[in-house]
Amino acid sequence: MQRRNYTLVTEFMLTGLTDIPELQILLFVMFIAVYAITLVGNSGVIALIRLCPQLQTPMYFFISHLSFLDICYSSSVTPRLLIDLLKEKKVISFAGCFTQLYFYAAFATTECYLLAVMAYDRYVAICSPLLYLVIMSLRKRVYLIAVSYAAGFTNALIHTVATSRLSFCGPNTINHFYCEGPPLFVLSCSDVSLNELLIFVCVGFNLISTMVTILLSYTCILATILKVSSSRSRQKTFSTCSSHLIVIIIFFGGFFIMYGRPSSRQTHNLDKVVSLVYIVITPMLNPIIYSLRNTEVRNAFRKFLGRSVFQHL
C-alpha cells in the first residue's frame, strides 16, 4: 500500500527582518509611511485617469491597471510585515502562509505580463500612430488585461497547489519575512524536485515570453525613432517610453536578482533586502515615476486641482 504524506506542521514562524526591538520600531515607522504613500499614490493615479478626459487613452488605461496591481501585490505582503514588526513571535498559520504565497505570486506574475503588454502598446503607438486607436480598441485592451490576469493566477495556482502538497515535519521557521516557495522547500521533509522543476519551467517561461515581447517592441521602437530626422522629435517620441523603461528595469532587475542566481544559505539577508525593495519600495516608486516624468499627468493634475479649488470657492 502506497504511503501517503501528512502535513504535521499547522503553523510557521517567520524570522522577519530583524530581532532588535529598537530597529523593528524604526522599520515599522518607515514602512508604514512607504505603504501609505503606495496606497495614496497609486489610488491617486487611478482616480486621476478615471476623472480626466485627456487621460482616456490606451496607455493610461494600462497605467491605471499597473497602479491597481501595485496596490494588490504590495498589500499581499506589507500589512503582514507591519504587524510582525510589532510582534515578538511572528506566527503565521498554514492556510495564511499559502494564501499569502498565492496572491503574491498571482499579482507579481500578472504585473510581468502587464509590463509586456504596455511595451506592445508603446510599439503600436510609435510605429503605427495612425492606426493606434483602431488596433488598441477597448475590446483589445480588455482582452490583453484578461490574458495577463489569467497567466498570473494560473501560475500562482500551480505553485501554491504543488507546495501545499509537501509534508512539513519540522522545524517550522521560515527564514524570510513572508511566505515564498524556496524558503518553504528548505523546511519540507518531502521530495521538492518537482517544485524546483516547476519554478524553473514556469518562471523561465514567464520571463522569456515577457522579455522577448518587451525587447522586440523596443527594438522596433528604436528603429522607428532613429528614422526621425529632427532631434527634438526623437527626444519627444522617446520620452513617452522613458517612464515605462524605468519601471521595467526596476521590476525585472529585482526579479532577476531574486530568481536568476543560485540559492545559497549565505544569501538570506540579500534575499530579504531585494524582496523588500521589490515588494515594498517599487510599488511606491511607480506612481512617482509616471507623475514626475509625464507632462500629461502633471498637467491633468494641475487642471484637476484648479477645477476642485474653483468649485469650492
Side-chain angles (χ1 to χ4, degrees):
M1 186 175 180
Q2 188 177 0
R3 184 181 174 184
R4 296 181 62 187
N5 289 330
Y6 293 92
T7 300
L8 303 180
V9 172
T10 58
E11 63 183 21
F12 295 102
M13 294 281 293
L14 297 167
T15 59
L17 294 173
T18 179
D19 55 0
I20 302 173
E22 294 79 8
L23 187 54
Q24 286 183 338
I25 297 298
L26 177 62
L27 291 175
F28 174 82
V29 173
M30 288 173 55
F31 294 148
I32 197 169
V34 169
Y35 186 54
I37 294 171
T38 299
L39 295 180
V40 173
N42 284 290
S43 299
V45 169
I46 294 171
L48 191 65
I49 292 172
R50 292 288 185 269
L51 295 173
C52 296
Q54 62 267 42
L55 299 182
Q56 301 299 313
T57 65
M59 181 178 78
Y60 293 107
F61 175 85
F62 293 123
I63 289 175
S64 67
H65 281 276
L66 178 66
S67 293
F68 174 74
L69 281 174
D70 281 336
I71 292 173
C72 290
Y73 99 80
S74 178
S75 297
S76 67
V77 174
T78 307
R80 177 80 205 190
L81 170 63
L82 292 172
I83 293 171
D84 286 343
L85 284 171
L86 300 177
K87 293 166 61 179
E88 183 178 352
K89 291 186 177 181
K90 301 164 179 57
V91 179
I92 185 169
S93 67
F94 189 86
C97 183
F98 285 96
T99 300
Q100 185 183 67
L101 172 66
Y102 175 75
F103 283 106
Y104 163 71
F107 291 125
T109 308
T110 302
E111 185 152 334
C112 284
Y113 281 90
L114 180 59
L115 289 173
V117 166
M118 292 172 73
Y120 170 71
D121 171 72
R122 292 297 81 211
Y123 156 73
V124 176
I126 293 172
C127 299
S128 303
L130 298 179
L131 297 175
Y132 177 49
L133 294 179
V134 176
I135 296 174
M136 300 303 295
S137 63
L138 179 59
R139 183 176 180 180
K140 179 75 167 287
R141 282 175 267 158
V142 171
Y143 170 77
L144 292 172
I145 290 292
V147 169
S148 299
Y149 276 94
F153 279 80
T154 301
N155 175 74
L157 184 64
I158 291 170
H159 292 299
T160 305
V161 170
T163 306
S164 66
R165 292 175 63 86
L166 297 174
S167 294
F168 297 92
C169 312
N172 68 335
T173 301
I174 301 173
N175 195 353
H176 219 309
F177 62 87
Y178 71 104
C179 289
E180 195 189 15
L184 283 169
F185 300 163
V186 175
L187 303 181
S188 176
C189 49
S190 304
D191 182 12
V192 297
S193 56
L194 175 61
N195 300 79
E196 292 174 342
L197 178 63
L198 285 173
I199 284 185
F200 177 78
V201 172
C202 294
V203 172
F205 175 79
N206 293 332
L207 280 177
I208 291 172
S209 58
T210 53
M211 287 304 298
V212 166
T213 302
I214 292 169
L215 290 173
L216 286 176
S217 297
Y218 275 102
T219 299
C220 295
I221 288 170
L222 182 61
T224 301
I225 290 175
L226 292 176
K227 293 177 183 177
V228 178
S229 56
S230 170
S231 60
R232 176 175 287 185
S233 298
R234 282 200 302 267
Q235 185 178 0
K236 184 178 179 181
T237 304
F238 186 76
S239 67
T240 63
C241 305
S242 59
S243 298
H244 183 240
L245 279 173
I246 293 172
V247 171
I248 285 175
I249 291 169
I250 294 174
F251 187 87
F252 282 96
F255 205 95
F256 277 116
I257 293 174
M258 288 174 64
Y259 297 105
R261 58 186 175 81
S263 60
S264 171
R265 294 188 178 184
Q266 281 72 40
T267 61
H268 286 311
N269 290 334
L270 177 60
D271 288 339
K272 290 179 183 180
V273 172
V274 174
S275 297
L276 201 60
V277 173
Y278 187 71
I279 296 168
V280 180
I281 306 300
T282 301
M284 177 194 70
L285 293 178
N286 287 350
I288 297 174
I289 292 169
Y290 277 109
S291 299
L292 294 180
R293 297 187 60 86
N294 194 305
T295 305
E296 287 182 320
V297 173
R298 293 201 303 270
N299 291 338
F301 183 65
R302 291 192 192 100
K303 289 180 180 179
F304 178 76
L305 281 181
R307 188 166 65 245
S308 299
V309 171
F310 180 77
Q311 287 175 350
H312 286 85
L313 289 177

